[in-house]
């Protein structure tokens, strides 16, 4: 759907408005403390999101404050409305990544493992991450996406058809996020037509050896899309068929990016495990295979073999971590970027750096195997994730 996008009015500095995705730097308090310092006393998306590092820090009060800020920002006239799709260009050290901000229909999405819907989850959903997000969205008048959906366009047909219109914004993102600019797309119907060509039987047979169509796979923001779906499923039961057709909560705002974009880098999401007894944890960890992973402690890193079927290797590893924690105590965190693993793998914490899946295999894996294990892959380093910029009214 072509959305009504909410952007901050033009006198509000975008440099302090836009902040990084809430599920980043979950072991780095200093990062989010610096975000809070930079945005203090200013209109900022920081006041409208819930960084996951604080999930256990007075969640009821934080959620209430988020909803209060949303209503206050609407009352204060913080937003201007732009009708249309937006072409977003994000430049980091990986290059310039191009995406399209649009709405997708939650009736065509499922996070079930073997779903055959046009829009699919790519990783197993961690259900305990959903309730805080549902609590925010349940009463929220607006949504802010950090979700990035991927489409499979080896020939780049979608981007090649886009015509740029009015420039919407152009600024540097805080804390090493790079540069971002965006343009209104002047031919949205051509974009829609081109996207739907990617889920036709001919394209699917050529790419995956099956006529089963897939349009989008969730790259980042799996839990945000799953939350929107859960809220919509709860709400639609109270609506008439006519009301369901165009209700704003039936749709969710997101950015869609070609999986073959040169600046889209696939990396692993690594594990940090807090171990009461590190020697016991390491002695029980058994891996084998043609890929390479690394154990990281304050003493350095050690190479270990890893399953060449990376998703299966991750399933096996996570089962071991879960069983160790259940028996011995401890906790696990999921970390983007090797530098973050090295920084935090001290004391009781053990880091496990994992190999990355090949993005050329990404859609084939989803079509034939269903969802990947939770936290299997990352698109870029933590500071390259989608920042919150655009919003949309959902009431």
């Amino acid at each position: 759907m072509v959305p009504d996008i909410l952007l901050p009015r033009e006198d509000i500095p975008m440099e302090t408005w836009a902040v990084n995705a809430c599920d980043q730097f979950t072991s780095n308090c200093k990062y989010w403390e610096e975000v809070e310092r930079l945005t203090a006393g200013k209109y900022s998306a920081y006041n409208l999101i819930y960084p996951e590092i604080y999930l256990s820090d007075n969640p009821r009060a934080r959620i209430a404050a988020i909803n209060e800020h949303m209503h206050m920002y609407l009352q204060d006239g913080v937003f201007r409305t732009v009708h249309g799709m937006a072409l977003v260009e994000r430049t980091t050290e990986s290059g310039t990544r191009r995406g399209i901000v649009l709405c997708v229909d939650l009736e065509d999405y499922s996070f079930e493992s073997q779903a055959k819907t046009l829009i699919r989850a790519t990783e197993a959903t961690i259900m305990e991450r959903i309730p805080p997000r549902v609590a925010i969205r349940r009463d929220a008048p607006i949504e802010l996406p950090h979700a990035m959906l991927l489409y499979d366009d080896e020939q780049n047909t979608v981007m090649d058809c886009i015509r740029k219109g009015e420039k919407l914004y152009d600024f540097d993102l805080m804390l090493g996020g790079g540069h971002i600019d965006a343009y209104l797309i002047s031919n949205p119907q051509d974009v829609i037509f081109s996207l739907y060509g990617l889920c036709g039987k001919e394209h699917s047979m050529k790419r995956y050896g099956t006529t089963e169509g897939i349009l989008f796979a969730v790259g980042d923001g799996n839990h945000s899309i799953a939350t929107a779906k859960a809220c919509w499923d709860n709400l639609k039961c109270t609506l008439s068929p006519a009301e369901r057709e165009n209700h704003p909560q039936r749709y969710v705002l997101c950015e869609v990016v070609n999986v073959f974009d040169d600046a889209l880098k696939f990396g692993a999401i690594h594990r940090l495990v807090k171990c009461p007894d590190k020697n016991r944890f390491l002695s029980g960890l058994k891996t084998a295979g043609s890929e390479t992973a690394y154990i990281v402690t304050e003493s350095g890193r050690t190479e270990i073999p890893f399953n060449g079927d990376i998703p299966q290797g991750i399933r096996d590893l996570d089962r071991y971590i879960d069983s160790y924690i259940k028996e011995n105590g401890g906790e696990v965190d999921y970390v983007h970027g090797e530098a973050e693993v090295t920084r935090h793998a001290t004391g009781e914490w053990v880091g496990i750096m994992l190999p990355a899946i090949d993005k050329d295999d990404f859609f084939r894996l989803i079509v034939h195997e269903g969802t990947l294990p939770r936290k299997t892959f990352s698109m870029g380093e933590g500071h390259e994730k989608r920042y919150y910029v655009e919003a949309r009214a959902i009431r």
Side-chain angles (χ1 to χ4, degrees):
M1 186 181 77
V2 179
D4 287 322
I5 296 171
L6 301 179
L7 291 171
R9 63 178 190 246
E10 294 183 356
D11 63 313
I12 293 174
M14 295 296 286
E15 290 80 5
T16 48
W17 169 264
V19 298
N20 205 347
C22 66
D23 59 350
Q24 299 305 301
F25 300 104
T26 53
S27 295
N28 189 347
C29 285
K30 290 188 187 310
Y31 180 91
W32 289 104
E33 287 169 359
E34 181 64 5
V35 173
E36 188 164 353
R37 186 189 71 79
L38 291 170
T39 61
K42 299 171 182 174
Y43 290 124
S44 175
Y46 178 70
N47 297 314
L48 310 178
I49 68 163
Y50 195 158
E52 289 189 357
I53 194 170
Y54 301 127
L55 278 180
S56 59
D57 179 13
N58 201 358
R60 187 171 298 178
R62 284 183 174 273
I63 290 168
I66 289 167
N67 280 309
E68 183 180 346
H69 274 96
M70 287 181 176
H71 287 285
M72 183 179 71
Y73 281 16
L74 289 171
Q75 193 171 28
D76 289 355
V78 167
F79 297 106
R80 59 191 173 101
T81 302
V82 177
H83 178 75
M85 294 180 180
L87 172 66
V88 175
E89 299 177 332
R90 172 78 177 277
T91 301
T92 68
E93 59 266 33
S94 297
T96 298
R97 186 178 72 216
R98 299 196 299 166
I100 305 163
V101 176
L102 46 68
C103 273
V104 296
D105 189 345
L106 291 167
E107 286 293 295
D108 287 319
Y109 162 79
S110 173
F111 56 79
E112 298 298 328
S113 176
Q114 299 299 321
K116 304 301 181 186
T117 46
L118 285 178
I119 307 168
R120 303 182 200 177
T122 52
E123 296 182 336
T125 302
I126 304 173
M127 296 311 294
E128 58 265 29
R129 299 271 176 106
I130 301 297
R133 297 169 184 252
V134 168
I136 294 170
R137 190 177 177 91
R138 183 186 299 120
D139 300 316
I142 61 174
E143 64 177 4
L144 287 88
H146 77 264
M148 189 183 297
L149 275 55
L150 301 178
Y151 60 91
D152 184 11
D153 186 12
E154 196 171 18
Q155 303 303 315
N156 209 40
T157 57
V158 176
M159 280 294 162
D160 286 348
C161 87
I162 288 177
R163 295 199 301 268
K164 287 183 180 180
E166 168 196 353
K167 178 170 275 193
L168 298 175
Y169 53 75
D170 186 345
F171 64 99
D172 291 330
L173 294 158
M174 66 168 67
L175 298 178
H179 187 85
I180 190 168
D181 54 39
Y183 301 83
L184 201 60
I185 293 173
S186 60
N187 59 330
Q189 293 305 318
D190 292 339
V191 173
I192 292 171
F193 182 80
S194 186
L195 282 167
Y196 272 113
L198 301 175
C199 61
K201 290 183 178 180
E202 184 178 342
H203 180 269
S204 298
M205 180 59 73
K206 180 180 178 182
R207 295 288 296 146
Y208 323 122
T210 175
T211 57
E212 175 189 307
I214 180 172
L215 180 55
F216 298 124
V218 181
D220 272 339
N222 179 61
H223 291 89
S224 294
I225 302 290
T227 297
K229 174 69 169 178
C231 288
W232 169 241
D233 284 346
N234 290 334
L235 175 63
K236 72 181 182 182
C237 298
T238 69
L239 304 175
S240 69
E243 289 172 325
R244 292 178 194 174
E245 282 301 309
N246 293 299
H247 195 284
Q249 290 200 49
R250 174 172 170 161
Y251 301 89
V252 65
L253 192 66
C254 58
E255 180 179 344
V256 300
V257 176
N258 185 3
V259 72
F260 289 101
D261 189 300
D262 290 338
L264 183 68
K265 308 299 183 186
F266 267 35
I269 298 181
H270 309 296
R271 273 54 175 164
L272 272 175
V273 186
K274 188 176 185 181
C275 309
D277 184 341
K278 286 200 296 189
N279 289 332
R280 183 170 185 172
F281 174 78
L282 292 172
S283 65
L285 177 60
K286 309 297 182 187
T287 60
S290 58
E291 290 285 345
T292 300
Y294 296 90
I295 299 294
V296 185
T297 66
E298 54 200 358
S299 302
R301 66 166 71 179
T302 304
E303 182 177 309
I304 60 172
F306 200 78
N307 196 334
D309 179 349
I310 294 173
Q312 186 57 49
I314 291 173
R315 289 187 190 96
D316 295 339
L317 172 65
D318 285 345
R319 273 196 292 268
Y320 172 69
I321 292 172
D322 290 344
S323 66
Y324 173 86
I325 291 173
K326 183 177 181 179
E327 186 175 333
N328 301 281
E331 58 186 283
V332 61
D333 196 9
Y334 305 92
V335 179
H336 303 254
E338 294 186 0
E340 284 292 295
V341 178
T342 302
R343 183 178 298 115
H344 295 290
T346 60
E348 293 184 314
W349 289 93
V350 173
I352 305 171
M353 290 183 184
L354 298 173
I357 62 173
D358 190 333
K359 71 178 185 177
D360 290 349
D361 292 333
F362 181 75
F363 272 83
R364 182 187 56 78
L365 285 170
I366 300 304
V367 169
H368 289 286
E369 299 184 20
T371 56
L372 304 171
R374 59 185 179 176
K375 301 294 184 181
T376 295
F377 69 97
S378 172
M379 299 191 304
E381 299 291 326
H383 62 278
E384 295 179 304
K385 298 300 179 178
R386 191 178 203 285
Y387 277 48
Y388 298 97
V389 182
E390 299 85 1
R392 185 178 74 99
I394 56 174
R395 295 194 185 278

